[in-house]
Structure formats: structure tokens, C-alpha cells
């Protein structure tokens, strides 16, 4: 791994402030022990998400200023189309305001009641959009993805034999599309190999099922392929991306991740008939297709940001920074998901807090303690996010993993910030027996974790 420093210098800064501990305790109590309810200004280091939190470049800002603003036919639409054709290579695309808008259009068009959507692993909004359209989301990731300590190069892979057996069992007619999420955000930000994508594509073709990629973190995934998969060392990230997308019929994309913008997304496809349907729905719910529910300048920022995201010096820095945080934690025995992913370091809260059962949300308990201890905001990806309440029995069904994600916003924090985060977590790990679980006192059925309320258990 490269030990070169950041391939940029800082031109503008945002002040951050650490409140005294008593104030942090009061704030998290008022927030119902849910960090989504905190004001951002009350957070010292914000690792809630890598989405919409990137620092944009001077070239992006300059491009935004220079582009025209129009309802129809803005030049930024054509810049983005050019970048999309060059990097993704799909025939058609529709800009949308963010990834979940692309999911909404895709699933509203393709799903029918009782239809299945196999994915390596759905992320929360993807799962919710499938359910909202009366579909059934099914996760068919390789079993090793659930073993946080198992070191494999491509732990995000789809289990292709499970996928084929699933299609045979349910019949292709009940499966309107197959998805693969790169990287697999729900289980550690783990990459999917080119070989796996090719195999999924072959199965999809064999059964005549359209294949879509959730491409939120495609460039990080490509960089992992370059480093880890035989035959790709001498290929550029762009060539790898083009090959990945050549196997798919389309993709959803959140520009808030790897277009290095604060808003934006895309829905792409090669299927003309689908494009026509997507287009009409997009105009109804997002906006005309040359602005996609965005100010035109945002399209320009995405077009420029996509090239910055596939820049290999940038990717090397990005992966080095994630590994830096992972190593600080690993060296002190803090249980993290191994190997670390492309956009975050995930802590295995089941191992960190073995004395807290899933019904008491160990991940959420750790997130809350980290805020109290250090003013650092992480996010739970465990039973608060993916646990279910069985509608028939009313019984709580926990998630398979209890993770805490330390997402690293792109180009935003220095290694010093991350050293502080690691130090705080290591201190908590040494005192872990004192950390208590939480009782959930409120949560809506879909995407409950965003607005859930908790109380400490003493
Ligand atoms: N798919 C994946 C894999 C995601 O990680 C996200 C967002 C989306 C789709 C939806 O995109 O936010 O632009 O609507 N993930 C963010 C996160 C929110 O924190 O991981 P969006």
C-alpha cells in the first residue's frame, strides 16, 4: 500500500467543536439515544456516513459556478452524460436527486406484489424500497460475509449456487431483476470480484432476468479488484469499471458517495423499453430528465467528481486511510470486521460487548457511548437497522450481525482525526464491561432506526 500523503491540500476549512462531556450526555439523552437525532454542530467528528459528506474539489466548485442553469437541455446534463458513457458505458441514463430515488423508479417500474429481488445484500433504503413496492428482498451473499474475522479478498460476493437454486425454486417469472451491491455496505463494505459479477450476469442471462448493479461505491470496488484479483493489476480503475458494467443491464448510483458530491444520483440502463418507462416516471416524481430533481450545477459537480473518484492516486490515499484506522484498532485488540472495507471500518459489537444481548442493541449502545466519550458519531448497522419484529408472533428477530460503522467521509478528515477516534474507542474497549444495553421504546416499521428512541438499561 502506498505511503504517500493525501494527493491534495486544504483550501477551505469548517470549524468543529467538542462540547464538555456533561453536555454530550444531555444531548444524547434528549436525542432519545439515537445519533440521527443529534444536531451536526453538536458532533465533533462525524463518521455517521460517507454519503453526501465528501469535501468537493476546487475544480468541482469552479465547474458548478461556470455551468448554465436551465429547465431543459442544460450543458451539465451533457457533461454528466459524457462522463457516464465514458466510465459506466450504459446507453441511457437519468439523473436523480439521490440513490434511493433511482431505486424507487427502478422498483416501482419492475416489481409486482410477491416478486423477489435477490441481491448479495440490500442496504437499508434498497430493502425499504423493495418492500414499499410489495417485493420481497432476499440476501444471497456468501456465508463467509457473516464471519467478521474471516479474511477473504471478496467477502461481498453473491453465492452463485444459492442464487441459481433460488431462481429454480421461485421460477424466473417471479424474479423481475437481480441486483449486486458494490461494495457490500451492509456487511463491512466488502468488495465483489469481477469473476463473481460475470457469473451472476451469466446466470441472469440464462434465465432471462435483468441484472442491475447498485453501484454506490463502484470505484472503491474496482480498486480492490485491481489490488486483489488476478489479471487486473495492470488495468485502470476505469477499464475495470467498464468491464463490470458491461456485464449488467443497468445500475442505480448515489453520487453522494463516489461522484464526490453532496447530493445527486443516477439510474442507468441499456434496455430501451425500460428507459422509456423510467423516464416518464422520473419526470413525474423527480423532474425533467436533464436536471433530475437537482440544480444543474450539481450535475456538473457529479461529472467532474466521477473522474476524481476513479483517479488512482485518490483511491490509493482513500484505501490507505481506512487501513490506517483499522490498524490502530486492530493493534489494540478492538474487534473489527476483517479485512476492512472500502469506505469504513466496521466494529463487531457482538465481540466488543458480548455481555449485551441483541434485544438490547449492543451496536447502538456502543454508538451512544462513543458519542458520550468523544463526541464522535458512528452508526449502528445491526439489530436497530436490520432487526425485524415478526408480524405474526410480535417477536423480535435480531439481525445476523451487530456492527458499528465508522464511515470515513471522503477527503474530509485527517489521520489525526482518525487517531483521536481510535484512541477513544480503545479506551471504551478497555472499559467495555461497564457499558450497558438499551431498551427500544419507539420505532416505526420501515427504516425504524432513523427515528427510533431508546432508554438506557441500568
Ligand atoms: N445503496 C447503497 C449500498 C447505499 O449505501 C446507499 C446509501 C444507497 C443505496 C442509497 O443512496 O443515500 O443517495 O439515497 N447509503 C448511505 C450510507 C446513506 O450511509 O451508507 P442515497
Amino acid at each position: 500500500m502506498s505511503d504517500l500523503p493525501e494527493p491534495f491540500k486544504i483550501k477551505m476549512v469548517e470549524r468543529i467543536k467538542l462540547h464538555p462531556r456533561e453536555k454530550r450526555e444531555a444531548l444524547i439523552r434528549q436525542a432519545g439515544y439515537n445519533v440521527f437525532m443529534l444536531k451536526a454542530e453538536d458532533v465533533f467528528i462525524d463518521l455517521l456516513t460517507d454519503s453526501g459528506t465528501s469535501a468537493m474539489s476546487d475544480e468541482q466548485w469552479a465547474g458548478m459556478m461556470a455551468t448554465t442553469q436551465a429547465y431543459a437541455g442544460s450543458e451539465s446534463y451533457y457533461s454528466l452524460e459524457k462522463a457516464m458513457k465514458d466510465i459506466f458505458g450504459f446507453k441511457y441514463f437519468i439523473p436523480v436527486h439521490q440513490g434511493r430515488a433511482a431505486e424507487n423508479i427502478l422498483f416501482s417500474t419492475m416489481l409486482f406484489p410477491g416478486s423477489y429481488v435477490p441481491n448479495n445484500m440490500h442496504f437499508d433504503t434498497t430493502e425499504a424500497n423493495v418492500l414499499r413496492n410489495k417485493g420481497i428482498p432476499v440476501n444471497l451473499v456468501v456465508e463467509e460475509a457473516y464471519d467478521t474475522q474471516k479474511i477473504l479478498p471478496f467477502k461481498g460476493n453473491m453465492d452463485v449456487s444459492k442464487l441459481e437454486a433460488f431462481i429454480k425454486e421461485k421460477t424466473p417469472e417471479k424474479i423481475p431483476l437481480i441486483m449486486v451491491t458494490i461494495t457490500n455496505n451492509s456487511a463491512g463494505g466488502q468488495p465483489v470480484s469481477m469473476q463473481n459479477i460475470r457469473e451472476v450476469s451469466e446466470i441472469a442471462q440464462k434465465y432471462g432476468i435483468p441484472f442491475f448493479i447498485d453501484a454506490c461505491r463502484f470505484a472503491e470496488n474496482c480498486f480492490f479488484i485491481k489490488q486483489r484479483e488476478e489479471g487486473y493489476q495492470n488495468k485502470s480503475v476505469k477499464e475495470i469499471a467498464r468491464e463490470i458494467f458491461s456485464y449488467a443491464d443497468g445500475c442505480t448510483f448515489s453520487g453522494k458517495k463516489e461522484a464526490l458530491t453532496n447530493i445527486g444520483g443516477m439510474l442507468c440502463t441499456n434496455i430501451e423499453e425500460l428507459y422509456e418507462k423510467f423516464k416518464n416516471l422520473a419526470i413525474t416524481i423527480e423532474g425533467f430528465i436533464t436536471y433530475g430533481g437537482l440544480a444543474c450545477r450539481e450535475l456538473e459537480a457529479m461529472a467532474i467528481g466521477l473522474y476524481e473518484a476513479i483517479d488512482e492516486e485518490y483511491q490509493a490515499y482513500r484505501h490507505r486511510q481506512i487501513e490506517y484506522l483499522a490498524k490502530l484498532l486492530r493493534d489494540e485488540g478492538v474487534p473489527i470486521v476483517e479485512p476492512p472495507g472500502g469506505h469504513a471500518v466496521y466494529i463487531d459489537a457482538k465481540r466488543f460487548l458480548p455481555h449485551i444481548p441483541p434485544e438490547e442493541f449492543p451496536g447502538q449502545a456502543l454508538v451512544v457511548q462513543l458519542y458520550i466519550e468523544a463526541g464522535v458519531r458512528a452508526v449502528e448497522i445491526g439489530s436497530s437497522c436490520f432487526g425485524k419484529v415478526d408480524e405474526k408472533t410480535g417477536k423480535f428477530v435480531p439481525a445476523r450481525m451487530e456492527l458499528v460503522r465508522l464511515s470515513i467521509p471522503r477527503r474530509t478528515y485527517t489521520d489525526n482525526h482518525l487517531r483521536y477516534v481510535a484512541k477513544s474507542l480503545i479506551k471504551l474497549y478497555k472499559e467495555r464491561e461497564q457499558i450497558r444495553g438499551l431498551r427500544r421504546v419507539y420505532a416505526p416499521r420501515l427504516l425504524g432506526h432513523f427515528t427510533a428512541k431508546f432508554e438506557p438499561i441500568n
Side-chain angles (χ1 to χ4, degrees):
M1 182 72 67
S2 152
D3 60 357
L4 285 174
E6 289 79 356
F8 53 81
K9 59 182 178 158
I10 296 164
K11 197 179 264 190
M12 189 185 278
V13 296
E14 180 180 319
R15 172 92 199 260
I16 54 173
K17 252 188 117 163
L18 179 62
H19 292 313
R21 187 182 176 103
E22 307 76 66
K23 186 159 177 190
R24 300 198 294 270
E25 279 169 347
L27 287 167
I28 195 74
R29 187 168 56 245
Q30 285 157 22
Y33 297 92
N34 182 347
V35 289
F36 282 104
M37 294 293 143
L38 289 171
K39 286 185 183 165
E41 65 186 38
D42 294 327
V43 174
F44 185 43
I45 295 180
D46 203 347
L47 308 186
L48 181 76
T49 179
D50 62 319
S51 181
T53 51
S54 297
M56 291 207 297
S57 68
D58 50 357
E59 291 186 16
Q60 284 176 297
W61 283 110
M64 286 173 82
M65 293 300 288
T67 198
T68 53
Q69 175 59 32
Y71 188 99
S74 69
E75 67 179 301
S76 60
Y77 170 80
Y78 295 103
S79 306
L80 185 57
E81 183 184 48
K82 202 162 157 238
M84 186 283 295
K85 289 224 156 116
D86 185 30
I87 300 168
F88 292 67
F90 291 109
K91 272 197 206 144
Y92 308 105
F93 94 108
I94 297 169
V96 290
H97 80 274
Q98 62 183 98
R100 68 199 72 180
E103 292 164 6
N104 183 17
I105 295 168
L106 176 71
F107 298 141
S108 305
T109 307
M110 300 191 75
L111 302 198
F112 51 87
S115 55
Y116 295 93
V117 181
N119 198 323
N120 50 344
M121 239 171 148
H122 292 79
F123 194 57
D124 56 359
T125 60
T126 330
E127 181 182 270
N129 268 307
V130 171
L131 290 168
R132 215 178 58 80
N133 283 288
K134 308 216 170 356
I136 304 164
V138 185
N139 293 336
L140 298 177
V141 73
V142 292
E143 195 53 32
E144 291 90 342
Y146 297 102
D147 178 349
T148 61
Q149 303 311 295
K150 180 114 187 171
I151 302 210
L152 279 180
F154 294 105
K155 252 165 85 170
N157 280 357
M158 179 86 94
D159 185 326
V160 282
S161 38
K162 268 195 208 157
L163 175 66
E164 189 153 17
F166 185 80
I167 299 170
K168 284 186 182 153
E169 186 199 326
K170 302 294 179 195
T171 72
E173 292 70 38
K174 297 210 72 179
I175 304 174
L177 76 160
I178 296 169
M179 287 195 90
V180 165
T181 304
I182 58 172
T183 57
N184 180 14
N185 188 13
S186 301
Q190 302 292 324
V192 178
S193 71
M194 187 70 85
Q195 188 188 336
N196 192 249
I197 292 169
R198 208 180 298 125
E199 285 168 2
V200 172
S201 168
E202 280 162 13
I203 293 174
Q205 275 178 32
K206 180 168 160 194
Y207 292 95
I209 303 170
F211 170 37
F212 276 73
I213 291 180
D214 177 337
C216 285
R217 300 178 178 85
F218 77 99
E220 286 161 8
N221 200 101
C222 290
F223 196 76
F224 277 127
I225 289 177
K226 188 178 165 87
Q227 288 177 313
R228 296 181 183 172
E229 193 163 348
E230 221 187 300
Y232 290 93
Q233 277 66 37
N234 297 323
K235 296 225 159 134
S236 68
V237 165
K238 188 165 103 181
E239 285 170 321
I240 296 172
R242 282 297 292 267
E243 184 177 338
I244 288 180
F245 294 122
S246 76
Y247 298 125
D249 297 300
C251 78
T252 54
F253 176 67
S254 166
K256 299 177 72 173
K257 285 91 177 165
E258 290 207 285
L260 298 166
T261 53
N262 303 132
I263 196 72
M266 293 194 291
L267 176 59
C268 307
T269 187
N270 288 328
I271 305 174
E272 189 179 354
E273 197 190 320
L274 274 180
Y275 171 65
E276 289 302 323
K277 290 185 186 161
F278 293 161
K279 195 167 66 176
N280 291 328
L281 183 55
I283 296 171
T284 317
I285 64 175
E286 281 288 283
F288 189 57
I289 49 159
T290 59
Y291 70 87
L294 295 161
C296 296
R297 56 182 173 269
E298 307 291 356
L299 274 59
E300 192 65 41
M302 273 204 281
I304 297 167
L306 279 169
Y307 284 100
E308 294 176 357
I310 61 168
D311 178 283
E312 290 173 30
E313 283 175 18
Y314 158 75
Q315 281 295 333
Y317 140 74
R318 172 92 178 133
H319 287 252
R320 186 208 52 74
Q321 192 177 46
I322 309 269
E323 179 52 39
Y324 174 74
L325 176 59
K327 185 173 184 325
L328 292 178
L329 295 170
R330 182 192 297 129
D331 286 353
E332 294 298 322
V334 178
I336 59 169
V337 175
E338 295 283 10
H343 65 293
V345 174
Y346 292 62
I347 295 165
D348 183 344
K350 254 188 209 173
R351 285 173 172 257
F352 197 113
L353 299 170
H355 57 286
I356 302 183
E359 305 75 56
E360 296 179 8
F361 304 100
Q364 188 67 17
L366 180 55
V367 166
V368 165
Q369 277 314 308
L370 182 60
Y371 177 72
I372 293 173
E373 175 65 32
V376 173
R377 175 157 69 172
V379 74
E380 193 255 20
I381 301 192
S383 287
S384 171
C385 185
F386 285 120
K388 305 269 178 295
V389 176
D390 188 302
E391 282 180 14
K392 286 191 199 113
T393 61
K395 257 186 90 176
F396 179 71
V397 185
R400 280 190 70 177
M401 286 185 283
E402 302 293 344
L403 305 178
V404 167
R405 186 182 73 176
L406 304 164
S407 341
I408 314 298
R410 297 173 177 79
R411 305 189 292 210
T412 302
Y413 291 114
T414 65
D415 288 359
N416 273 330
H417 291 112
L418 300 189
R419 203 168 57 211
Y420 168 84
V421 172
K423 209 174 109 203
S424 316
L425 266 163
I426 291 161
K427 177 165 182 284
L428 285 180
Y429 188 60
K430 290 189 176 136
E431 300 162 358
R432 60 192 177 276
E433 273 143 42
Q434 290 163 34
I435 300 176
R436 294 282 160 264
L438 297 166
R439 183 181 310 110
R440 189 162 66 180
V441 290
Y442 166 77
R445 198 178 69 84
L446 262 191
L447 294 175
H449 52 296
F450 287 117
T451 52
K453 290 193 170 72
F454 300 87
E455 279 169 6
I457 299 173
N458 291 314

